[in-house]
Amino acid sequence: MQAAPAVRSRRDDLDYEAAGAELLGRDLASLCRGPVRAFVANLLARETAGHGHRLLASQMTMRNEDDALSLLVALRRGFEFAAAEGPPGSARG
């Protein structure tokens, strides 16, 4: 009998900062309702658009604005995913 292969506890190709930002976006969406959710969704869409002002990205303390924008894109992705899923415990389908 052969031993099971070792489980990798870390993925070299995973961007942990982007994953954390996406999880934060999911948490943020679960906290926002109604007009606040719409405001945040519009803000993230505007700030991450190719022609956006990048005001948030320019204010983040990052190595550069492009890195900050990448994190905002991940935050938006998580926010939109959770917003589409609906509130926790809701029956979607």
Side-chain angles (χ1 to χ4, degrees):
M1 185 169 179
Q2 290 184 331
V7 176
R8 289 175 55 186
S9 62
R10 181 174 168 253
R11 285 183 43 196
D12 292 331
D13 62 335
L14 180 64
D15 182 342
Y16 289 93
E17 287 183 344
E22 189 167 335
L23 290 172
L24 178 62
R26 291 180 184 206
D27 289 345
L28 180 61
S30 72
L31 297 172
C32 297
R33 300 283 180 264
V36 173
R37 182 177 276 192
F39 174 82
V40 172
N42 288 332
L43 176 67
L44 291 173
R46 184 178 64 240
E47 290 292 324
T48 58
H51 59 281
H53 299 294
R54 291 187 168 191
L55 180 61
L56 286 176
S58 69
Q59 297 298 312
M60 294 170 68
T61 56
M62 299 289 298
R63 294 176 294 278
N64 64 53
E65 203 171 288
D66 289 332
D67 289 344
L69 182 60
S70 293
L71 292 179
L72 286 173
V73 167
L75 179 78
R76 178 183 175 189
R77 186 172 48 245
F79 185 87
E80 289 175 347
F81 176 83
E85 290 292 306
S90 67
R92 300 278 301 206

